Amino acid sequence: MPKYDIVVVGAGNAGMSAALQCQLLGLKTLLIEKHNLPGGAATSFVRGRFEIDPSLHELCDYGPADNPGDVRTMMADYGVKANFIEVGECFRCVSTYRDGTPMDVTMPAGIEAFIDKMEFYVPGSREKMTQLFDLFQEVLDGIAYITASRGNPDKAVLGTTYANMLKTGAYSTQEVFDALELPERCQDILSTYWSYLGVDMEHLAFIHYAAMVHKYTSRGAYILKHTSHELATAMVERFRELGGDVWFNCRAEEFLFRGEHCCGVRTNMGVVDCNYVLANINPDIIYGTMMPKELVPEREKKLSAARDRKIGGRMYTAYFCLDCTAEELGIHDYTIFLPGTADSPTEYDNIMKGMKYNNFSIFNCYNIANPECSPPGTCLCGFTTFGSPVDWNDLKQEDYFRFKEEGIDKLLANLKEKLGFDLSGHIEEIEICSPWTFARYLGVPEGGVYGYEPRDWDGMMARMQMIAYDYPIKGLRPIGAAGPRGDGYAASMICGRLMALNALLDLKKWKEEGGKA
Amino acid sequence: MAKLNVTISADPRIDMMKFATMAKVREEAIQAAPAKEVSGVFPINENAKALHPDYLDLVVDSIIDRGEAQAKTFVLRRKDGAPLPYFRAGQYISLKLPLEGSFVTRSYSLCCSPKAALEGKYAITVRANPGGFAADRLLAGLKVGDPVISSGPQGFFYYEKLRDAKHVVGLAGGSGITPFLSLAEAIRDGVENFSLTLLFGSRDEKNILFREELDEIARVCPKFKVVHVLSEEEKEGFEYGFITAELIKKYAPEGEEFSVYLCGPEAMYRFLKPEIEKLGLPERLFRRKLIDVTKTPWDCEGYPQEARGRSFTILVRQGPQEWTIPASADEPVLVAVERAGIKAPSRCRAGECGWCRSRLLSGTVFIPQDNEMRRWADVHYGYIHPCCSFPTSDLTLEVPGEFF
């Protein structure tokens, strides 16, 4: 068995990015993946004559060539080529304002266009919206600065150049909106994006929200022409080109230690020796099931207990391959948010109470952004909502198939009632994925694809400031959505890259201290 | 960069110092928590694992000889008799059979009600297949108490109320009856709620598989009806000949939308294709259980005839291991890999499930159009499904690992 400098466990977005970065740094890298294809959530599946992307709605932070986002830059640095398509508008949201009035708004991409449209829906909002977007920009620049400093920013620079980020950085989005005195309807429309981070506006750190919304509005959102599997395969093939090894259907069972230093991985394909492991696995799973209990540091036990299983984004989704066009159904929008109300704390609570109370969904029609994503005369649509442990913890197998179907049936009825889209009689293929599906496929706790909720004390900025403390295990770093940058393709890829760079430093230090290769 | 005006700093609700203390606040929250052991076990994940295991270690619980129908039903259970993963009527399991130094995969539809799984039982039925490799060895060799490695339930040949019509006309031929027996039992047991009219083609009356079972379900369950179609025997009470568009129309519900499900041997598919086209059904109302890849690839459109009958060499890589193995142009790549005793993944053997997805590093293969169900990027980057790819040159192939 060959020995590797680094084994990256899990070819999810973070793992693929980490593996590419490691290989580019000249480290001999093995990427292992428990499935027979790469990507984790960035994947696709085939049903009949359709190929379906199960996860990517809107890739944040890719951007056009003249205003590249982190993902575009990263792909260029890695030499990864894939066909990205711009989505166009930001979103349509059909809901109810907190004042009880029905809401039906469609927000365009582009900061000026977004502010103009907001002025149209909420007359007199322009000045406040402009201030808000200036603030977003500063926050974004500040995060980039802190990321570049790998968690060790110069306090003087922060205090002068990024003063407004400092002012708002420790507050919830709702608190900052209130402080800015943004009109309530403005707030309601802006709150639409809360679900992409899985934490309601009262608990969602402003800095995290600001970074995301600014990226979507300024750079637009992107998807892949041939599903996320195209991107995943392109990344893995590029990694091989650079000299990396990839083993599929290779599952890490246990991390092996020499003293306190992780030095290998036991897998179904044998033991792999290495000097370092980057594991695209949730820390709770690693600490609880994949390493000797006595080597789990006290602080990591406390961190896990403090997080108390607050898992984000337990996905519950359905995909419809329809035998008619979007036009024939009257669908003209790519992403339509359908929350019960614009009051996000109420929405969050209802989701956590289970499908009986959950009225939240996002409806996508992929053909609007990517007309060639399905055969001529057909279209691909999907629902996304969130599951709750209330429903999915104790569900019996014999009730499972019916239960997951009934939940989606409810969303279909809601779609018909609110928007008049009637999918019945057109469904050629259907697949429903519950939190069980995501738990099984991704191995994430409770099927939560957002890692730990980035809420209150455990927000993105707080995590970023503590990168130096959060990885006490020698030779092993978890990467992925549970990491400092939170969830999403872009965040996970950035996290993978960041941890690969840190791994290089760790390895240098370890060798200087006499660590044996 | 435009700077924010002073509204925020003047607001008493915003305390600039709070940013500096974020790390401290977080650390305090962490330190206040108990240093208890991390469990890493979550009910949702445990449920998912139980429903979708990597593999099942089963034993043969009992065997029912089907006499003149030349088949045996093998009832399988776990060693300890614990419940088995629930399934959707119509799904199959894929067996890993250690036969003569190979690990051979064969998929068999479950031919029992999903309720049987709760009682710890699965049933499959194997029919004699003269000249076939696995079926005859199973019929002759598999005894009560023998161990069997199986996948969990798989496949998409099941009733889906959000998609299918309320009435299904089933077309079965030979051992293609097995998923329909499961569907019929599921309707009888109230697990599924739709009407099934089954047109079942057999050679002659004594050759009808599950005759008594099907007739009994039809007797007690008004939503299920079976019509026996005999191709070699003309007899009162039976339809004679082959299943045709005319026959389907005769038994299909009148003035009501219906779905057609098809499961049978390759020859039946070829015969029925134009018949089903005559019905003018939209694609969503026609579902078929995919069968094994063709045994005569040279009859398929686009086959490079010069490859037929030739022998090739495949360099197979799996993780750190490597083998050089012989292959015939007349058999799928997977067969060569299995024959060499390499544990490589596969399940459906029809190109549908993608479980065997492997990377073709060099060489060329022929893929019949009926089995071409690869992802776009897999086609683009040279990944193949070895179960339905025929070698047309020497190959270098990287196969994934396995879990059994």
Side-chain angles (χ1 to χ4, degrees):
Chain A
M1 190 76 77
K3 177 165 174 158
Y4 292 90
D5 292 321
I6 294 216
V7 176
V8 177
V9 179
N13 282 311
M16 294 188 296
S17 174
L20 277 160
Q21 184 61 66
C22 287
Q23 196 64 36
L24 279 173
L25 291 169
L27 298 166
K28 189 173 159 56
T29 310
L30 170 67
L31 174 60
I32 66 172
E33 165 54 47
K34 68 174 178 164
H35 290 295
N36 66 349
L37 72 170
T43 188
S44 76
F45 57 89
V46 172
R47 294 289 179 272
R49 50 182 175 149
F50 300 86
E51 181 174 352
I52 302 148
D53 186 325
S55 77
L56 184 62
H57 292 180
E58 301 183 334
L59 179 59
C60 190
D61 215 11
Y62 184 76
D66 59 358
N67 179 20
D70 283 345
V71 176
R72 185 185 274 269
T73 306
M74 237 187 307
M75 292 305 116
D77 292 349
Y78 293 159
V80 171
K81 291 186 183 75
N83 299 289
F84 289 89
I85 295 177
E86 202 191 341
V87 160
E89 74 193 19
C90 277
F91 60 80
R92 179 176 172 195
C93 182
V94 178
S95 183
T96 310
Y97 289 105
R98 279 177 286 174
D99 62 21
T101 317
M103 174 202 295
D104 186 349
V105 297
T106 305
M107 300 306 288
I111 294 172
E112 277 178 35
F114 195 94
I115 293 172
D116 284 350
K117 200 71 187 281
M118 191 65 93
E119 177 68 22
F120 169 76
Y121 291 122
V122 190
S125 64
R126 184 179 300 281
E127 193 193 333
K128 293 286 181 189
M129 283 297 293
T130 307
Q131 281 178 19
L132 182 70
F133 270 91
D134 289 346
L135 182 55
F136 285 169
Q137 179 67 55
E138 189 181 318
V139 164
L140 205 67
D141 294 340
I143 294 171
Y145 172 69
I146 293 174
T147 302
S149 75
R150 291 182 199 161
N152 287 306
D154 182 328
K155 288 194 176 98
V157 174
L158 281 180
T160 50
T161 313
Y162 307 108
N164 288 317
M165 177 184 76
L166 295 196
K167 286 174 194 165
T168 53
Y171 290 90
S172 77
T173 314
Q174 190 60 54
E175 284 168 320
V176 176
F177 280 4
D178 288 343
L180 267 177
E181 290 170 351
L182 267 183
E184 187 176 283
R185 285 196 181 185
C186 251
Q187 298 187 13
D188 288 354
I189 294 169
L190 284 164
S191 80
T192 302
Y193 274 127
W194 78 267
S195 55
Y196 280 0
L197 296 169
V199 179
D200 66 77
M201 301 297 267
E202 284 180 5
H203 297 94
L204 175 60
F206 174 72
I207 210 161
H208 203 162
Y209 168 88
M212 182 183 68
V213 176
H214 188 275
K215 285 171 187 172
Y216 275 136
T217 43
S218 66
R219 300 205 173 105
Y222 286 74
I223 56 173
L224 276 301
K225 186 165 195 309
H226 303 287
T227 78
S228 302
H229 180 60
E230 178 195 352
L231 178 59
T233 311
M235 289 178 85
V236 161
E237 293 313 302
R238 176 61 184 149
F239 171 64
R240 289 192 208 252
E241 236 174 63
L242 292 169
D245 288 339
V246 186
W247 298 352
F248 287 119
N249 271 10
C250 181
R251 183 164 54 205
E253 312 282 359
E254 190 186 2
F255 296 113
L256 307 172
F257 287 77
R258 191 179 298 128
E260 290 187 343
H261 190 101
C262 182
C263 63
V265 187
R266 189 168 57 75
T267 78
N268 60 311
M269 290 168 85
V271 169
V272 186
D273 291 329
C274 62
N275 295 329
Y276 208 98
V277 171
L278 290 170
N280 198 173
I281 302 174
N282 181 282
D284 272 7
I285 305 272
I286 296 175
Y287 303 147
T289 67
M290 299 183 72
M291 63 180 281
K293 298 227 181 288
E294 66 274 14
L295 292 180
V296 178
E298 286 287 290
R299 185 178 175 281
E300 296 307 285
K301 292 182 187 170
K302 284 169 174 272
L303 174 57
S304 170
R307 280 169 160 164
D308 195 23
R309 303 196 158 193
K310 279 226 175 321
I311 302 297
R314 299 167 189 87
M315 287 296 157
Y316 179 21
T317 59
Y319 312 93
F320 304 97
C321 309
L322 306 175
D323 69 355
C324 62
T325 62
E327 181 72 24
E328 287 171 79
L329 287 171
I331 302 172
H332 301 286
D333 303 284
Y334 172 65
T335 304
I336 307 176
F337 287 79
L338 295 161
T341 93
D343 181 18
S344 63
T346 302
E347 283 298 293
Y348 180 91
D349 287 346
N350 285 343
I351 286 166
M352 293 310 289
K353 280 195 270 180
M355 271 317 278
K356 202 174 154 191
Y357 302 92
N358 180 354
N359 289 310
F360 177 90
S361 66
I362 304 170
F363 181 75
N364 283 94
C365 179
Y366 299 92
N367 300 70
I368 302 298
N370 184 11
E372 290 165 37
C373 73
S374 68
T378 69
C379 67
L380 265 177
C381 298
F383 269 128
T384 304
T385 186
F386 300 106
S388 162
V390 169
D391 287 333
W392 302 97
N393 267 4
D394 301 318
L395 186 63
K396 290 194 177 82
Q397 286 188 11
E398 58 266 42
D399 299 325
Y400 173 70
F401 299 114
R402 192 167 292 171
F403 184 81
K404 71 173 184 170
E405 197 176 77
E406 279 168 4
I408 298 305
D409 217 0
K410 175 179 165 178
L411 299 185
L412 280 170
N414 183 48
L415 185 72
K416 194 172 163 183
E417 186 196 316
K418 277 194 171 169
L419 297 169
F421 304 160
D422 187 359
L423 273 45
S424 64
H426 292 292
I427 300 170
E428 184 173 314
E429 300 285 347
I430 174 171
E431 195 58 61
I432 301 172
C433 298
S434 78
W436 289 21
T437 319
F438 288 94
R440 174 177 71 97
Y441 191 77
L442 300 174
V444 288
E446 299 182 354
V449 302
Y450 291 177
Y452 304 106
E453 287 185 350
R455 73 158 57 218
D456 305 330
W457 61 269
D458 197 22
M460 177 177 70
M461 188 48 65
R463 289 185 200 178
M464 296 261 296
Q465 290 182 29
M466 297 188 78
I467 288 175
Y469 303 91
D470 276 359
Y471 297 88
I473 299 175
K474 293 188 180 101
L476 171 66
R477 279 176 191 258
I479 55 176
R485 294 293 296 249
D487 76 279
Y489 279 38
S492 294
M493 287 175 184
I494 292 167
C495 172
R497 177 178 231 190
L498 181 65
M499 292 306 152
L501 294 169
N502 275 290
L504 183 73
L505 297 179
D506 290 349
L507 273 172
K508 259 190 200 154
K509 197 171 155 219
W510 175 68
K511 282 183 184 160
E512 281 163 17
E513 287 169 0
K516 285 201 181 73
Chain B
M1 185 178 62
K3 278 283 164 194
L4 195 68
N5 72 21
V6 289
T7 321
I8 277 198
S9 51
D11 193 298
R13 284 169 291 190
I14 294 293
D15 167 12
M16 191 166 161
M17 286 313 290
K18 215 173 154 186
F19 187 89
T21 62
M22 282 169 91
K24 193 166 156 265
V25 168
R26 183 168 183 271
E27 192 58 26
E28 279 167 9
I30 294 167
Q31 292 303 335
K36 61 180 184 188
E37 211 156 82
V38 181
S39 105
V41 176
F42 297 84
I44 287 176
N45 298 57
E46 295 306 301
N47 294 340
K49 248 181 252 175
L51 187 64
H52 299 291
D54 287 339
Y55 281 97
L56 294 162
D57 282 314
L58 306 176
V59 294
V60 178
D61 179 72
S62 58
I63 300 173
I64 304 162
D65 196 316
R66 299 291 175 180
E68 288 188 275
Q70 294 187 310
K72 282 180 181 172
T73 296
F74 296 97
V75 179
L76 308 170
R77 63 171 168 83
R78 291 186 205 260
K79 281 186 187 107
D80 61 2
L84 283 163
Y86 200 65
F87 62 95
R88 302 187 83 151
Q91 286 190 307
Y92 67 86
I93 55 173
S94 188
L95 305 188
K96 286 284 173 190
L97 305 165
L99 295 174
E100 294 163 25
S102 308
F103 275 100
V104 174
T105 311
R106 285 293 181 275
S107 61
Y108 294 97
S109 292
L110 291 161
C111 61
C112 53
S113 168
K115 282 198 168 172
L118 303 176
E119 291 150 18
K121 302 273 172 68
Y122 283 162
I124 58 167
T125 295
V126 181
R127 201 164 209 200
N129 174 23
F133 182 71
D136 293 353
R137 281 169 179 78
L138 283 179
L139 289 172
L142 196 59
K143 296 181 292 296
V144 170
D146 282 354
V148 175
I149 303 168
S150 162
S151 75
Q154 311 281 319
F156 312 110
F157 192 68
Y158 52 73
Y159 185 77
E160 174 56 69
K161 98 170 177 182
L162 297 176
R163 175 194 64 208
D164 298 330
K166 288 189 177 70
H167 200 120
V168 173
V169 175
L171 312 178
S175 54
I177 188 64
T178 46
F180 287 108
L181 179 61
S182 178
L183 286 161
E185 289 191 5
I187 295 169
R188 177 199 65 197
D189 292 350
V191 174
E192 296 288 358
N193 185 14
F194 65 98
S195 296
L196 175 62
T197 300
L198 182 63
L199 308 185
F200 180 20
S202 301
R203 270 209 307 280
D204 48 36
E205 189 184 0
K206 65 178 189 329
N207 206 253
I208 299 173
L209 191 55
F210 304 135
R211 170 84 191 273
E212 284 170 28
E213 287 85 348
L214 293 166
D215 289 349
E216 174 60 17
I217 298 167
R219 196 180 63 77
V220 300
C221 176
K223 286 185 177 155
F224 176 67
K225 183 177 177 180
V226 60
V227 178
H228 295 290
V229 186
L230 305 179
S231 60
E232 294 175 11
E233 185 178 14
E234 215 171 337
K235 199 169 180 182
E236 174 104 22
F238 297 88
E239 288 286 351
Y240 173 63
F242 291 109
I243 297 168
T244 59
E246 281 309 306
L247 201 70
I248 295 168
K249 280 186 208 152
K250 180 174 168 185
Y251 289 100
E254 252 180 273
E256 184 192 327
E257 195 176 71
F258 62 91
S259 293
V260 170
Y261 285 18
L262 168 62
C263 184
E266 191 182 342
M268 184 183 182
Y269 277 62
R270 307 227 179 280
F271 178 80
L272 272 172
K273 205 178 164 204
E275 295 299 310
I276 286 164
E277 277 166 17
K278 284 183 207 162
L279 298 173
L281 294 172
E283 283 204 43
R284 72 188 160 83
L285 295 179
F286 175 55
R287 302 199 65 79
R288 58 183 196 142
K289 161 94 170 67
L290 288 164
I291 44 161
D292 278 12
V293 68
T294 180
K295 291 187 172 54
T296 54
W298 45 87
D299 290 339
C300 297
E301 207 185 315
Y303 184 81
Q305 293 299 334
E306 64 279 7
R308 185 175 173 182
R310 288 185 62 192
S311 298
F312 298 116
T313 298
I314 308 180
L315 174 63
V316 181
R317 288 189 192 149
Q318 184 182 49
Q321 292 181 281
E322 216 173 84
W323 301 266
T324 302
I325 64 167
S328 159
D330 299 351
E331 292 175 331
V333 171
L334 178 66
V335 172
V337 173
E338 287 181 340
R339 191 173 284 134
I342 299 167
K343 278 188 186 177
S346 79
R347 282 189 179 163
C348 74
R349 293 186 87 91
E352 182 185 56
C353 77
W355 196 243
C356 62
R357 175 186 183 270
S358 298
R359 183 164 173 253
L360 187 62
L361 288 136
S362 72
T364 53
V365 295
F366 172 74
I367 301 165
Q369 202 46 50
D370 280 355
N371 307 92
E372 179 53 281
M373 275 166 282
R374 288 180 294 165
R375 298 167 173 89
W376 181 90
D378 288 349
V379 175
H380 185 76
Y381 286 102
Y383 285 80
I384 60 167
H385 297 165
C387 72
C388 57
S389 302
F390 294 85
T392 54
S393 76
D394 290 341
L395 310 176
T396 306
L397 188 73
E398 197 171 283
V399 300
E402 253 297 10
F403 298 104
F404 69 91

